[in-house]
Amino acid sequence: MSPMQERMSPWQERMSPLQERIDALHGWPAGEALPEAAGEIVGELLGRLEAGSLRAAVKDDDGSWTAVPWVKRGILVAFRSGRITPVAAPGGGPVDPESPSAFLDKHNLPVRRFAAGEGVRVVPGGSAVRRGAYVGPGVVCMPPMYVNVGAWVGAGSMIDSHALVGSCAQIGERVHLSAAAQIGGVLEPVGAAPVVIEDDVLVGGNAGVYEGTVVRRGAVLAAGVVLTRGTPVFDLVREEVYRAGPSRPLEIPEDAVVVPGGRAVTREWGLAQGLSLYAPVIVKYRDAGTDLATALEDWLR
């Protein structure tokens, strides 16, 4: 069973010692220095996130995704406890902390380094995976790409050039994030669910997925598709319109093939000008005999 399919929320059901310590640090009075133990506590949190034993969001029994607020609070504590220091560019050598540098960041959130045995391929050319992000075996990182703290990237996925995986975003297994795809991140408010891309999804070039949108397993987003909380998605197959609600995200159904579309402006002046508004459209659903490329090509032809 894929990690994206499992219900992984034991940390939500009972307060762990790490959670208690994180919550204590998060509630520390503003303007006061955090205790010396903060560095060790933050290090444990980031280490567990990198190992995949903690996640910033979990999938519940009913299939819904829920943020894990205390994990996000811990990441905010990491920023608060970190000090700004010169850092090397990805692939660079040691940096003298007393010398000026082109790159400055929190000392406790450096760029990750991978061992060959981890099975992650990071191609030279400026890519960066920040500390506190999980990257599964078989993931390929094409330069330049970026994965932020708290993110999860499942085994066998591809992150192509100029693609971004934002803070706490959840990317499934065998996902292809094409060139310049943007997967939004969120840290605050801590209860806000991050963007979720489930297993076997293709996200086309220059596509953008933001504001807690959930793209279900096997879906295909064509190049240029943009999904936000305020974006209605029109399903030509099922003749439905999908929207986010006050307490639910926008969701793209399993195996849906989404392309950029438009809907006519119906008010008199706009109608007279022939104007239309952007609208993503589901044009078909993949079946067992339809691969990712064919799903788009068949419809576009």
Side-chain angles (χ1 to χ4, degrees), residues 59 198 216-219 238 252-256 285-286:
K59 190 175 185 179
E198 293 189 344
R216 294 293 185 181
R217 183 185 182 98
R238 299 175 179 173
I252 302 301
E254 286 191 10
D255 297 321
Y285 284 81
R286 294 172 58 196

